[in-house]
Amino acid sequence: AEGHVAITQYFSAHMTRSIELSAGTTIGSLRVATEYPFSQMIAIEINNVSQEFVLELRIPGWCGDARIELDGRMMPETVSRGTMHALKIPAGSHAISLLLPMKIRIERRPPNLPFPGVAVPTNAATILRGPLVYAMPREYVLDVGMVFDNEDSNSPVGQAQGQNSYLLGTGPWRYALVIEEDTNADADLKHQYHPPSPLPHGQGPFAESLVPDRIIAKATLLPREEWDVQRSGRGHVVECATGSTSIDHYNTSWAGPLPRSPVSSAERVPQYIELIPYGATNLRIAEFVTTRGFCKKEKR
């Protein structure tokens, strides 16, 4: 709205130049400090406000219990998800705390529609926390082709602006997550957060070695008979030409159709796998088969 200040994206920033609003209000400086989207707390400092104005804060649709404090006092107004929440800021200098509690969520995929009138239900699970989708990074061998614009002045330093990359998947991928109840995801999936280290110049946090959080999940590895690669049609198995890859006789293919969840948990040995934000992965599994119940013997 005219004369308001709206914060729609949350990241650390410091504006030292004064802000002049159409209603005649001036704001001396504004600072935002946060580790969002990994952390649920956003701290906002507003200094030297000449007269009352309205600060609008975006409340994401996934957050049902956001809370706002002004100078340490909890605001009594209801904070509704999926809205721009209006907060009156008096003259002077103030500290605002916005808490966006992030719970792990499980969303189930609707039926696939491979052909008109044909629905294939898989009930596959996607794992989310806050605004992020989490995926299991798969191990791979990187074959590098042509490199583009490789200059000393690049940022991040030493990283070409572009290259042809071929990711040859080598690690296991046929995992089924052990999920007892979708509505109680925290019972099966454990979030871990480690304060981030300083990032290399020009590098963002979305890299497997730099991302500060992950979700630990219990999973079982399904046999090929239950979940195989595509054996015919589009994406079917093709052996790469000799000498074209660093792995001899490498087969490329799509993953086959997911078995319908939940699959049986009998006689399976569970293990723990790590899920990280989708944007920090290069080769990944982000849609999971699930199973219910604990298996015979756990291993880590």
Side-chain angles (χ1 to χ4, degrees):
E2 186 174 355
H4 294 192
V5 172
I7 300 180
T8 61
Q9 306 295 323
Y10 298 116
F11 53 88
S12 292
H14 187 197
M15 180 176 290
T16 56
R17 294 180 59 182
S18 63
I19 304 169
E20 297 183 1
L21 305 182
S22 59
T25 304
T26 60
I27 302 170
S29 66
L30 188 152
R31 180 193 296 269
V32 178
T34 184
E35 295 297 336
Y36 185 91
F38 312 112
S39 174
Q40 56 192 8
M41 177 62 73
I42 298 103
I44 304 168
E45 294 180 6
I46 301 178
N47 295 305
N48 302 323
V49 177
S50 64
Q51 62 186 30
E52 183 182 273
F53 77 100
V54 174
L55 175 66
E56 295 186 37
L57 301 173
R58 181 179 66 87
I59 309 302
W62 50 261
C63 185
D65 50 359
R67 299 189 293 276
I68 299 174
E69 290 184 3
L70 176 61
D71 296 328
R73 182 171 61 91
M74 186 72 68
M75 294 290 95
E77 300 89 354
T78 299
V79 181
S80 301
R81 68 173 76 199
T83 64
M84 293 296 296
H85 184 82
L87 180 65
K88 291 183 179 180
I89 305 298
S93 297
H94 303 281
I96 299 102
S97 296
L98 172 61
L99 180 66
L100 301 175
M102 297 180 181
K103 298 178 180 179
I104 299 175
R105 313 188 307 281
I106 299 172
E107 294 185 0
R108 293 288 175 174
R109 182 191 177 107
N112 295 330
L113 304 173
F115 308 103
V118 177
V120 180
T122 63
N123 204 33
T126 300
I127 310 302
L128 306 96
R129 178 182 179 271
L132 299 178
V133 172
Y134 286 74
M136 186 201 76
R138 188 186 177 197
E139 296 175 1
Y140 62 87
V141 171
L142 174 63
D143 282 5
V144 178
M146 185 177 293
V147 176
F148 306 93
D149 300 328
N150 188 13
E151 302 174 356
D152 293 338
S153 60
N154 287 347
S155 180
V157 176
Q159 180 173 305
Q161 296 299 295
Q163 67 182 34
N164 290 337
S165 298
Y166 305 92
L167 308 184
L168 311 182
T170 57
W173 56 272
R174 298 179 178 89
Y175 284 106
L177 300 185
V178 178
I179 303 293
E180 291 286 350
E181 294 290 341
D182 287 9
T183 56
N184 188 25
D186 288 333
D188 298 303
L189 307 170
K190 306 301 182 184
H191 178 253
Q192 292 183 350
Y193 175 80
H194 303 285
S197 302
L199 297 172
H201 179 70
Q203 173 68 56
F206 283 93
E208 187 172 344
S209 61
L210 298 174
V211 70
D213 76 332
R214 58 205 64 239
I215 291 174
I216 307 301
K218 183 179 290 185
T220 63
L221 192 59
L222 300 181
R224 179 175 297 174
E225 293 75 18
E226 288 190 69
W227 190 9
D228 198 4
V229 295
Q230 196 75 18
R231 293 292 175 181
S232 61
R234 295 182 61 196
H236 69 278
V237 176
V238 174
E239 184 175 313
C240 296
T242 301
S244 64
T245 61
S246 60
I247 300 177
D248 291 337
H249 307 293
Y250 184 79
N251 288 333
T252 179
S253 65
W254 294 356
L258 281 76
R260 185 171 181 173
S261 297
V263 297
S264 170
S265 61
E267 302 298 324
R268 300 190 195 278
V269 179
Q271 55 189 287
Y272 289 89
I273 62 173
E274 292 187 351
L275 313 181
I276 64 176
Y278 186 103
T281 62
N282 294 311
L283 192 63
R284 70 198 69 82
I285 296 293
E287 193 172 76
F288 293 93
V289 180
T290 61
T291 180
R292 286 196 177 95
F294 294 99
C295 309
K296 273 198 165 183
K297 182 181 179 182
E298 300 180 8
K299 69 177 182 179
R300 290 182 180 269

